[in-house]
Amino acid sequence: MDLIPRGPADDDPNPLNRLSLGRLRLRTSMKWRTYPDDVLPLWVAEMDVPLAEPVVRAVTDAMTLGDTGYPAGTAYAEALAGFARERWGWDGLAVERTAIVPDVMLGVVEALKLISGPGDAVVVNCPVYPPFYPFVEHMDRRVVEAPLGADLRLDLAALEDAFRRAVAGGRRAAYLLCSPHNPTGTVHTAEELAAVAALAGRHGVRVVADEIHAPLVAPGTTFTPYLSVPGAESGLSLMSASKGWNLAGLKAALAIAGPAAAEDLARLPEEVGHGPSHIGVIAHTAALREGGDWLDALLGGLDHNRGLLTALLARDLPGVRYRPGPATFLAWLDCRALGLGDDPAAVFLDRGRVALNSGLPFGTGGAGHVRLNLATSPELLAEAVRRMAAALA
């Protein structure tokens, strides 16, 4: 692994190698405006990439035409169905069992409202994407944790115990599945997901799958949509092109129902469909239909960055434990051996001027950890590790 990155190049097919730090600092989004300019931001889930050309063209054409009204039709769902068929070999995404929602987390909220009530439990696999906690609690639902195993994979025994606790007293319960898993990058196997479906069916727990990172799976690893496994017919899934193509600011996502959940999805309030942006729908549709080559180049770049981060940590921060996951553009770093306390991100920010996500909001198992955003150039990744190591000096 070459530990001396070569710098950005306009003609590099890998989008992670295209933008300089100076160019990135012109951006006005959260990643680049939350901290002072002397801080290197490798935290929130925004990628340091130029947009895929088909997306830029589609949005530019819409703006030129003045096509900036309200969303209509099923083009987004049709594009996702085609992508699922081509990428995952899944032909079961029925367009008639989809609904457009503003984004994945708001879609999760609406899905949970359809299948649970105030006071009911929602099971999550901690450590997990922090918004799962406040979004669930603000709905007046209870979070029940089912920790991942030491290998950062689903622990089916812990999950069954959580299901038992969730339905105690005859209450309804839901399971909010993060697939692929954020922050670990774990990709659940078809066998694991079938076991989840069987457990959920046995205990009467309804499954809602957040599959926003589904396009971001490394070559050689198979992503299995939850709704494709036996026993998942009553499940609901949320998908979007936002993470795969860096479109978080162009709001649009899809809720997808299994055959036995179609009537639930049909009860989704009409006003929910008013939240997505028409331009967002156009952008996401173009990404799914025409952005495959760009995505493949990105996936190769992310795989390179995982290897580079492994080598950099081994050289400069050998006390940090990193188990690369084959999905997402996030790295979950165990910093407990460094002696920095429960929140090492605060130390790296204060002493090293590099911004990472604190592990604490990820729930049980997050103390002593940080989440690092790999979706940047190799040179910025190397600089981040250099700063982290300097923070210990």
Side-chain angles (χ1 to χ4, degrees):
M1 173 65 65
D2 183 4
L3 300 188
I4 305 176
R6 60 187 179 84
D10 289 340
D11 60 348
D12 195 316
N14 175 7
L16 296 171
N17 289 338
R18 298 281 296 280
L19 300 177
S20 67
L21 180 59
R23 181 76 175 170
L24 290 166
R25 288 206 181 277
L26 297 176
R27 293 183 170 182
T28 60
S29 61
M30 181 183 290
K31 181 175 184 181
W32 294 97
R33 287 295 181 265
T34 298
Y35 296 100
D37 284 350
D38 68 326
V39 172
L40 189 63
L42 270 69
W43 63 295
V44 72
E46 299 179 22
M47 295 195 286
D48 296 344
V49 292
L51 291 186
E53 193 278 332
V55 174
V56 175
R57 184 175 64 247
V59 171
T60 301
D61 288 350
M63 299 297 285
T64 301
L65 187 61
D67 188 10
T68 54
Y70 301 103
T74 58
Y76 188 2
E78 291 166 7
L80 181 57
F83 183 87
R85 188 179 306 113
E86 177 185 346
R87 292 275 171 156
W88 309 322
W90 182 38
D91 201 26
L93 199 163
V95 171
E96 66 273 15
R97 293 199 306 272
T98 66
I100 190 167
V101 294
D103 59 34
V104 164
M105 272 312 302
L106 291 179
V108 163
V109 167
E110 295 299 331
L112 290 173
K113 286 179 181 177
L114 294 173
I115 61 174
S116 68
D120 289 339
V122 178
V123 176
V124 302
N125 297 119
C126 55
V128 74
Y129 181 52
F132 279 14
Y133 291 91
F135 275 70
V136 168
E137 290 165 354
H138 290 166
M139 297 168 59
D140 194 22
R141 271 66 167 172
R142 299 176 291 118
V143 173
V144 174
E145 293 186 323
L148 298 174
D151 59 356
L152 303 182
R153 304 201 69 86
L154 295 176
D155 182 332
L156 294 177
L159 190 60
E160 183 161 30
D161 176 68
F163 284 178
R164 288 195 186 101
R165 287 183 282 126
V167 300
R171 299 297 298 260
R172 289 186 297 176
Y175 170 38
L176 181 48
L177 169 68
C178 193
S179 179
H181 189 268
N182 172 5
T184 66
T186 299
V187 178
H188 312 306
T189 67
E191 293 75 18
E192 287 172 325
L193 294 173
V196 164
L199 280 179
R202 189 178 312 147
H203 293 279
V205 174
R206 297 292 298 277
V207 179
V208 175
D210 170 356
E211 298 181 309
I212 196 170
H213 287 279
L216 292 166
V217 174
T221 300
T222 300
F223 169 74
T224 301
Y226 176 71
L227 296 181
S228 72
V229 303
E233 293 80 8
S234 66
L236 293 160
S237 168
L238 284 303
M239 290 189 177
S240 173
S242 64
K243 288 293 186 286
W245 286 268
N246 206 40
L247 304 177
L250 293 167
K251 292 286 189 178
L254 287 165
I256 309 157
E263 291 185 4
D264 293 311
L265 190 60
R267 292 187 285 106
L268 192 72
E270 179 187 354
E271 60 267 23
V272 174
H274 297 171
S277 158
H278 180 46
I279 297 298
V281 171
I282 289 171
H284 289 233
T285 302
L288 290 164
R289 283 182 173 167
E290 304 175 66
D293 290 344
W294 185 94
L295 178 64
D296 287 336
L298 171 70
L299 294 177
L302 291 174
D303 221 24
H304 174 270
N305 279 4
R306 291 184 192 102
L308 175 61
L309 179 60
T310 300
L312 289 168
L313 291 174
R315 184 188 72 182
D316 300 335
L317 282 169
V320 174
R321 185 182 180 196
Y322 170 45
R323 189 192 304 261
T328 81
F329 48 77
L330 307 165
W332 186 238
L333 307 183
D334 183 348
C335 304
R336 289 175 291 181
L338 301 181
L340 301 180
D342 287 346
D343 191 13
V347 178
F348 292 133
L349 177 61
D350 181 52
R351 300 182 194 168
R353 309 308 286 164
V354 57
L356 309 171
N357 286 101
S358 168
L360 293 173
F362 290 80
T364 300
H369 291 71
V370 298
R371 191 187 74 173
L372 181 149
N373 184 341
L374 285 163
T376 191
S377 65
E379 55 268 24
L380 291 188
L381 186 60
E383 172 63 11
V385 174
R386 186 197 69 77
R387 294 186 182 200
M388 292 166 68
L392 305 184

